[in-house]
Amino acid sequence: GFGNKLLWFKEHLEKYGDNNHIALFVDAYDVVCVGQEQEIIKKFVSFKKPIVFSGEKGCHPEASLAKHFDHINSPFKYPNSGTYIGYSKNILGMLKKIAVKPHEDDQLFATKYIIKNPLLCAIDKKCQIFLTLYNVDKSELSIEKKLRVFVRKFKTRPCVIHGNGPSKSMLDKLF
């Protein structure tokens, strides 16, 4: 289940203790990393928040929570738990607050955590680090040299591309 991802990541981070290392979480089979480590870190630090989640166009799995993100002026305003980055102590703190079971939805947990902790979390609403492809039309993107995706609306080059949900096939079309 999706809750397992949170439990396994928590277990992994606990091995390293409560520190300021930067940890990047990505789903495995539907994610392509195209940016370099230093680029990802530089972009993360620019958010000035301890945890940054990828943004996506739909509020899943509970559409009723969408109202909490109405103030964000971007189609990528809803959190996606398939890719996020943060200081390990903050991510570990977040994961310790959960009471998720292995079969429960990790994205619902992330969405509720962001709503309750806006000072600790940012959403990558301009696809600076992350691009989630669900509900994205290929015409919104262009592919540059070295397999970098360019998001036309924001003029950004995300470092981590996530073919979430039914958009997994778009990864094949892009790469």
Side-chain angles (χ1 to χ4, degrees), residues 15-111:
K15 292 178 187 175
Y16 298 97
D18 196 11
N19 59 50
N20 266 335
H21 291 115
I22 295 173
L24 173 67
F25 176 88
V26 297
D27 277 354
Y29 69 100
D30 60 352
V31 174
V32 177
C33 294
V34 294
Q36 299 294 314
E37 178 183 358
Q38 289 306 313
E39 178 186 6
I40 294 169
I41 291 170
K42 182 179 178 183
K43 289 179 177 185
F44 163 65
V45 171
S46 75
F47 278 88
K48 297 183 169 109
K49 295 277 186 161
I51 304 172
V52 178
F53 284 87
S54 56
E56 70 171 304
K57 289 184 169 186
C59 188
H60 306 287
E62 278 192 29
S64 65
L65 297 176
K67 64 185 176 218
H68 295 281
F69 303 96
D70 286 345
H71 64 283
I72 300 173
N73 186 22
S74 170
F76 294 90
K77 61 186 171 184
Y78 305 107
N80 179 281
S81 63
T83 52
Y84 55 94
I85 189 170
Y87 296 107
S88 56
K89 70 177 184 179
N90 297 100
I91 292 175
L92 188 55
M94 173 183 74
L95 296 174
K96 284 181 177 179
K97 289 184 178 180
I98 68 170
V100 69
K101 293 178 177 65
H103 67 279
E104 292 179 324
D105 194 291
D106 60 315
Q107 187 141 311
L108 179 59
F109 160 76
T111 302

Side-chain angles (χ1 to χ4, degrees), residues 105-120:
D105 194 291
D106 60 315
Q107 187 141 311
L108 179 59
F109 160 76
T111 302
K112 288 179 177 181
Y113 185 83
I114 292 166
I115 291 167
K116 292 178 182 175
N117 298 279
L119 298 177
L120 297 177

